[in-house]
Amino acid sequence: MLMSEYYPTKIEKKWLEEWEKNKAFKTYDDSNKPKYYALSMFPYPSGKLHMGHVRNYTITDVIARFKKSNGFNVLHPMGWDSFGLPAENAAIQHGANPAEWTDKNISYMKKQLKMLGLSVDWDREVATCKEDYYKWTQWLFLQLYKKGLAYKKGAAVNWCEKCATVLANEQVIDGKCWRCDSDVTKKNLEQWFLKITDYAEVLLEDLDKLEGWGDNVKTMQANWIGKSTGTILKFKVKEFEDKGGLEIPVFTTRPDTAFGITYLVVAPEYPDIEKLTTPENKETVEQYRENARKMSEIERLSTERIKTGTPLGTHIINPFTGRICPIWVADYAIVDYGTGAVMAVPAHDERDFDFAKKYNLPIIQVIDGEGYTPDKAYTEPGTLVNSGEFNGINNEEAKAKITQYAEKQGFGHSKTQYRLRDWLISRQRYWGAPIPVVYCEKCGCQPVNEEDLPVKLPTDVDFSIQGMSPVKTSKTFESTVCPVCGSPARRETDTMDTFMCSSWYYMRYADAKNDKEAFNKDLVNKWLPVDQYVGGIEHAILHLLYSRFFTKALRDIGLLDFDEPFKNLLTQGMVLKDGSKMSKSKGNTVDPDEIFANYGADTARLFIISDSPPARDFDWSDAGVEGCYKFLCRVYRLYSKYQDLITLDYKIPEKLDSKSDRLLREVHISIKKITNDIENEFQFNTVVSRYRELTNAIYDYVKDEKDIEANVLSFALISLIKLLSPVAVYMSEEIYSELAQKSSKKVSIHELDWPKYEESLAKLNNVTLIVQVNGKIRDKIETTNNQSNDDLTKLALDSDKIKQAIEGKTVVKTIVVPNKLVNIVVK
RNA sequence: GCUCCAGUGGUGGAAUCGGUAGACACGUUGGACUUAAAAUCCAAUGAGGGUCAAACCUCGUACCAGUUCAAGUCUGGUCUGGAGCACCA
């Protein structure tokens, strides 16, 4: 017997235990059903779930359950992105052991996730900080190293003082650290990089294949990769003509303006800059470079900054014109983009124009077009002037011609340039996977032998020493022997960026327990690519770009056969409260535990998907939760009240009265709409609306108790509870199991197939015909379905209101939309 | 500056192919039940006009044009907001 009222906590506790006992959500690799891989971005075990997690995992879980009911063998795993700084900070601040701290958080959050009712196969759980996982992260690093995709170099890298470590370009947001928000400075260090730039072109090109990704994410990645096609032009330095020669190459997207070059700019960090500086200018140039270095550390962000620079004293010869042009150093040139040197054409580039005006450098027009004025840089298309044999040519055409000319003469060629830089993966921190290499005095840098993996994190470390990696404080870790010659060697103490760990976790789920390989090739090919990935937009570049790179690199190494990891991507919006992001400092957080305790997980799940489409931000409101809770109570009461009438073995009679016929159709309409809305972009908000509409229709039906047809009511209620089952996972199970008590069908509702609708019944018998005159609605007529166009026109013209509206006018034509509308055009 | 996304009642948001704008909720107001409250149920709820009350009329999807019998939806332009990139040559 169902209780008369809905008591969620009681029901939820009962079924949680039952499911756990039965391993209800176990996924098997061998199944003849088609596979479906539903994945949420795995959480960092910070201590407690927040509402963003609840939203993310509920969305994925509803999808997973829906697909399972629709005949798929569904993989829906979960794990922990468990390396990272917070664990280490806990160690520094209150002496916690990072491993224990992390384990404690994982076990608490795991309990919460189970409470949320996720259909996760916990046997495939992974945690990136465990040896059985990071062993394979290290192994993958070695494969990348052997393929030449991991290398070490000295470079000016991003340094976060507060985190005391370097950062990848992608982790610097507006000049600040992505994690702690403090200023990032530059530091010259020897660091490990992954050659993501080798994949720049294919990472860009393959974005087109990703039809299941939003344009916003794709353009963000495209912008980040930043492809531009142009030309390299090499300029001879006049002062070195007698001294063996020196060339400065520049990259330009505007070779068509080459005749207008009046000076050349190099970045303050340009390698040859000292050679290029004459003794008279040495002091001013040194000073300028010193200032630029400081400037870039303090305020590199100001775009409105007035451009500054100083001449080096040397000159280049423009090979097109023979003109001698001075070389300047200016910080508007960036050392690691293009060649670090820029040809300046003030007449046709705004930056060059401002600079030339300020320092009185010549300006030569070489493009003419409508709106040209000498008062500002003309950057529009036009025709070449002052450009010798190229005069009169359209500038777009001239780009190719001038590049060809330069190539023939041997001082240039076309070039594709990317903004993407190699991925810096070394971190001077403790809580990460150690980079598995050693440094031998004789043999140099050598990879650790694969059979010696994992290189375990030392435990004899001191977190209290500031300014150095805790790994270095270990007495045992650093000293080792060379894997090649056996002589004493020093172990690398840097650990890997945690984004390395998260770049392949979704592959490990396919074969999580494998202790021989990172994953079995067949299994990873079977389950991947991920059919639906769900997570926050904040990873649009970072994690999603790195994972795409990893997949392509591992494919090239031969570890797998697909080239994109995530077929469909849903970036869910943030959970807000009172219009702003939930945060502890604002004090507007909502604790999932409290919601579970007060309303139950089903209410939390229903509410979090109800009001906004998944991609949009979602404003949490207490009244909204209350509303969802009341709705579930309302649904529950329906079953509790009519449980004696409901039968699982219902049979819809041939003949129905209009009331029952109407309900029957409402159910079919609901099945159709809900199914379509989930399949089409996961519009859960309208799914929830339809739940309510169907519930209202059933309440309407039972209002007058004497005309109830028990079979139709059973059909309606059993359909409703199955439609609700991906969302209200506990309540639907409870209700169904009680209903099943009296029938032979004792099976979990979550094992039932998704309801089917009949197209012929998924529409109402009657339609409201809209009658327009000249596009304005003049009448609405209730009539039957499927009438001919002529009949509908006749019906429309018979209406008194229409007669009145067209009186004295001639009908020019009539337009009929079957079952919907008649538009009469009159003059 | 460039790129992408969005703009609909008091609020969240609906609206397959261009075909009833505002579904479903939240909120508000009124009513029923109750000694009272909660819960529940019923009704009204875009703006303006009109009427004793209705019927009914006009306007209305950021703004301005256009295409069309018909535009929230398509096209061009403008404005506003959000996101990302940004001295990228």
Side-chain angles (χ1 to χ4, degrees):
Chain A
M1 283 292 282
L2 287 169
M3 291 171 288
S4 61
E5 287 296 322
Y6 173 48
Y7 296 111
T9 40
K10 222 167 158 178
I11 294 172
E12 295 184 358
K13 185 167 179 282
K14 170 179 155 193
W15 286 107
L16 193 58
E17 284 166 9
E18 192 78 8
W19 293 335
E20 185 97 32
K21 205 173 73 197
N22 301 339
K23 288 209 175 266
F25 307 119
K26 177 124 183 99
T27 302
Y28 297 95
D29 293 324
D30 49 340
S31 160
N32 43 22
K33 292 177 182 173
K35 70 98 182 177
Y36 190 90
Y37 189 174
L39 180 67
S40 304
M41 288 182 187
F42 66 164
Y44 178 80
S46 53
K48 257 190 159 196
L49 289 190
H50 55 70
M51 281 300 166
H53 291 128
V54 171
R55 191 176 192 199
N56 191 164
Y57 308 142
T58 300
I59 289 169
T60 313
D61 192 52
V62 174
I63 294 169
R65 289 171 182 271
F66 174 77
K67 288 291 173 182
K68 186 178 175 189
S69 294
N70 279 282
F72 288 90
N73 184 27
V74 173
L75 175 59
H76 180 209
M78 185 57 77
W80 309 96
D81 186 12
S82 53
F83 269 140
L85 262 179
E88 203 166 327
N89 288 339
I92 295 164
Q93 280 154 25
H94 28 87
N97 175 314
E100 283 169 19
W101 184 89
T102 305
D103 280 347
K104 201 181 94 217
N105 288 347
I106 287 177
S107 76
Y108 189 82
M109 288 172 79
K110 189 169 166 182
K111 212 189 267 171
Q112 288 185 299
L113 289 177
K114 286 188 173 175
M115 183 67 237
L116 183 58
L118 302 184
S119 59
V120 159
D121 179 359
W122 285 101
D123 288 348
R124 293 171 185 262
E125 178 181 5
V126 303
T128 59
C129 69
K130 302 284 181 193
E131 278 171 35
D132 66 353
Y133 184 91
Y134 77 69
K135 171 180 178 175
W136 299 112
T137 308
Q138 291 175 336
W139 184 82
L140 288 169
F141 172 87
L142 292 181
Q143 309 316 305
L144 294 169
Y145 177 79
K146 286 169 190 166
K147 185 83 181 169
L149 290 170
Y151 67 96
K152 200 173 191 190
K153 73 165 181 193
V157 296
N158 305 304
W159 177 263
C160 173
E161 195 62 48
K162 195 168 167 204
C163 298
T165 187
V166 296
L167 298 169
N169 272 329
E170 288 78 7
Q171 292 163 342
V172 183
I173 315 285
D174 291 340
K176 291 176 192 298
C177 173
W178 70 296
R179 179 169 280 295
C180 72
D181 214 31
S182 50
D183 285 338
V184 171
T185 61
K186 289 276 179 190
K187 218 171 180 177
N188 274 308
L189 288 170
E190 280 262 311
Q191 297 288 303
W192 282 95
F193 289 84
L194 295 188
K195 253 193 190 165
I196 191 169
T197 53
D198 275 9
Y199 287 81
E201 182 60 37
V202 66
L203 283 169
L204 181 68
E205 252 174 35
D206 287 357
L207 287 173
D208 288 341
K209 290 190 196 163
L210 297 173
E211 282 166 23
W213 285 39
D215 282 341
N216 52 346
V217 179
K218 286 196 276 189
T219 40
M220 275 161 76
Q221 291 211 356
N223 284 343
W224 187 261
I225 295 167
K227 178 180 183 173
S228 58
T229 50
T231 305
I232 296 277
L233 292 175
K234 292 181 229 160
F235 297 94
K236 288 202 164 73
V237 181
K238 184 172 161 271
E239 284 76 6
F240 281 77
E241 276 193 310
D242 315 326
K243 301 183 213 161
L246 184 66
E247 274 183 343
I248 301 179
V250 304
F251 173 75
T252 179
T253 53
R254 294 296 306 273
D256 52 319
T257 62
F259 284 76
I261 299 170
T262 57
Y263 65 101
L264 194 126
V265 173
V266 297
E269 304 86 2
Y270 193 73
D272 280 342
I273 197 161
E274 276 163 36
K275 250 201 267 180
L276 289 166
T277 308
T278 56
E280 314 72 89
N281 290 293
K282 200 170 179 218
E283 203 176 313
T284 49
V285 169
E286 272 312 309
Q287 209 163 44
Y288 182 81
R289 293 178 69 200
E290 177 62 23
N291 277 343
R293 203 178 58 78
K294 277 191 204 147
M295 271 293 259
S296 69
E297 285 171 13
I298 301 159
E299 245 304 19
R300 349 194 311 272
L301 283 171
S302 163
T303 41
E304 296 298 304
R305 234 179 65 216
I306 296 153
K307 287 165 191 41
T308 59
T310 187
L312 301 182
T314 49
H315 301 79
I316 55 101
I317 308 157
N318 183 344
F320 294 95
T321 58
R323 189 186 176 92
I324 310 293
C325 307
I327 306 171
W328 285 60
V329 56
D331 62 2
Y332 78 89
I334 306 159
V335 72
D336 53 1
Y337 183 77
T339 62
V342 185
M343 66 177 218
V345 184
H348 304 290
D349 182 283
E350 279 165 27
R351 289 156 305 179
D352 299 345
F353 185 87
D354 293 346
F355 195 81
K357 277 281 171 203
K358 180 166 178 191
Y359 293 107
N360 261 323
L361 292 156
I363 298 170
I364 303 170
Q365 182 197 5
V366 289
I367 310 271
D368 197 26
E370 208 184 319
Y372 172 86
T373 126
D375 304 333
K376 63 179 207 297
Y378 179 78
T379 54
E380 302 296 307
T383 312
L384 267 68
V385 295
N386 298 326
S387 298
E389 60 180 284
F390 299 99
N391 278 343
I393 302 176
N394 165 282
N395 78 301
E396 279 306 317
E397 232 174 286
K399 284 181 182 174
K401 290 208 162 141
I402 288 182
T403 304
Q404 272 165 27
Y405 176 83
E407 193 148 11
K408 215 177 278 171
Q409 301 292 316
F411 58 81
H413 56 88
S414 60
K415 168 94 198 263
T416 304
Q417 187 68 45
Y418 301 91
R419 214 187 58 102
L420 182 72
R421 308 295 147 79
D422 275 342
W423 174 14
L424 167 49
I425 56 149
S426 316
R427 295 291 179 274
Q428 290 71 49
R429 301 308 322 165
Y430 171 76
W431 197 230
I435 297 174
V437 298
V438 300
Y439 303 100
C440 169
E441 268 183 41
K442 282 186 227 152
C443 313
C445 174
Q446 290 297 334
V448 171
N449 287 324
E450 285 181 13
E451 53 273 23
D452 294 335
L453 295 180
V455 174
K456 290 187 197 173
L457 272 177
T459 47
D460 59 333
V461 292
D462 186 348
F463 290 102
S464 64
I465 300 171
Q466 299 287 305
M468 74 193 292
S469 167
V471 180
K472 279 195 180 291
T473 67
S474 165
K475 293 189 176 63
T476 53
F477 186 79
E478 223 176 330
S479 87
T480 182
V481 291
C482 172
V484 178
C485 70
S487 45
R490 184 175 58 81
R491 199 184 279 287
E492 171 64 83
T493 54
D494 282 356
T495 53
M496 291 184 233
D497 182 4
T498 57
F499 280 96
M500 284 273 296
C501 309
S502 58
S503 290
W504 73 283
Y505 76 102
Y506 50 90
M507 300 172 184
R508 181 72 179 172
Y509 284 141
D511 193 13
K513 292 279 153 65
N514 196 332
D515 56 2
K516 305 276 184 304
E517 313 166 273
F519 44 77
N520 173 277
K521 189 173 177 179
D522 291 336
L523 282 175
V524 88
N525 284 334
K526 174 197 158 76
W527 283 110
L528 276 86
V530 171
D531 292 278
Q532 185 63 54
Y533 200 19
V534 185
I537 185 82
E538 67 274 16
H539 288 109
I541 293 169
L542 289 156
H543 164 60
L544 290 168
L545 188 65
Y546 294 147
S547 295
R548 293 184 61 224
F549 159 63
F550 245 67
T551 301
K552 290 172 192 302
L554 298 191
R555 180 209 47 199
D556 290 346
I557 289 168
L559 295 171
L560 41 85
D561 291 334
F562 49 94
D563 66 352
E564 283 290 339
F566 314 121
K567 209 160 133 197
N568 295 290
L569 173 71
L570 174 61
T571 49
Q572 104 261 2
M574 284 188 301
V575 181
L576 310 177
K577 177 91 194 286
D578 313 318
S580 58
K581 195 178 173 177
M582 283 191 186
S583 74
K584 277 183 202 148
S585 58
K586 283 197 202 98
N588 62 345
T589 54
V590 178
D591 184 357
D593 283 343
E594 268 176 47
I595 302 298
F596 295 159
N598 295 338
Y599 300 101
D602 280 344
T603 296
R605 293 170 62 105
L606 179 69
F607 176 55
I608 204 93
I609 63 161
S610 65
D611 263 358
S612 295
R616 251 188 262 184
D617 285 351
F618 175 86
D619 207 355
W620 183 275
S621 82
D622 296 335
V625 190
E626 195 73 36
C628 284
Y629 179 68
K630 284 180 185 169
F631 170 71
L632 289 182
C633 291
R634 189 169 139 87
V635 170
Y636 188 92
R637 276 199 304 274
L638 208 44
Y639 290 87
S640 154
K641 185 162 179 197
Y642 294 100
Q643 55 187 316
D644 295 335
L645 226 52
I646 305 169
T647 166
L648 298 191
D649 307 305
Y650 59 82
K651 221 175 161 178
I652 306 294
E654 292 272 319
K655 279 218 161 217
L656 290 173
D657 60 11
S658 65
K659 177 177 150 177
S660 293
D661 182 70
R662 202 184 156 80
L663 181 64
L664 181 74
R665 286 169 187 277
E666 282 291 343
V667 178
H668 282 279
I669 290 169
S670 297
I671 296 171
K672 181 178 178 180
K673 197 167 164 1
I674 288 170
T675 309
N676 289 347
D677 283 356
I678 296 178
E679 266 165 4
N680 172 34
E681 315 256 329
F682 310 115
Q683 290 187 43
F684 297 125
N685 54 328
T686 54
V687 169
V688 175
S689 297
R690 197 63 219 180
Y691 289 156
R692 293 178 189 270
E693 282 178 275
L694 180 56
T695 307
N696 289 345
I698 298 172
Y699 264 99
D700 245 21
Y701 182 75
V702 297
K703 209 191 239 166
D704 187 356
E705 297 205 338
K706 53 175 196 288
D707 295 331
I708 294 174
E709 162 58 68
N711 286 292
V712 172
L713 180 63
S714 297
F715 171 63
L717 286 172
I718 287 160
S719 300
L720 174 63
I721 204 65
K722 179 60 197 175
L723 292 169
L724 269 166
S725 70
V727 182
V729 297
Y730 293 103
M731 190 180 87
S732 58
E733 183 83 304
E734 169 74 7
I735 289 174
Y736 190 80
S737 84
E738 287 299 325
L739 298 178
Q741 286 291 336
K742 32 180 200 178
S743 97
S744 50
K745 300 174 190 165
K746 255 199 107 184
V747 58
S748 161
I749 191 163
H750 301 298
E751 299 295 328
L752 294 184
D753 286 343
W754 194 249
K756 302 260 180 299
Y757 63 90
E758 254 179 71
E759 193 60 58
S760 62
L761 290 172
K763 52 181 80 130
L764 295 175
N765 241 335
N766 295 314
V767 292
T768 307
L769 183 73
I770 303 302
V771 187
Q772 299 180 326
V773 175
N774 286 348
K776 295 222 177 232
I777 296 160
R778 286 295 176 255
D779 201 6
K780 299 177 186 181
I781 304 167
E782 287 295 322
T783 183
T784 53
N785 239 336
N786 299 326
Q787 295 193 61
S788 72
N789 287 4
D790 288 348
D791 288 350
L792 290 176
T793 309
K794 204 160 157 279
L795 196 66
L797 291 170
D798 276 350
S799 147
D800 291 339
K801 284 179 192 162
I802 300 307
K803 279 182 186 158
Q804 213 177 335
I806 63 175
E807 204 183 354
K809 294 172 181 147
T810 29
V811 176
V812 183
K813 64 172 163 178
T814 48
I815 284 124
V816 182
V817 182
N819 290 329
K820 244 181 200 161
L821 169 142
V822 174
N823 188 11
I824 299 161
V825 187
V826 295
K827 247 203 297 215

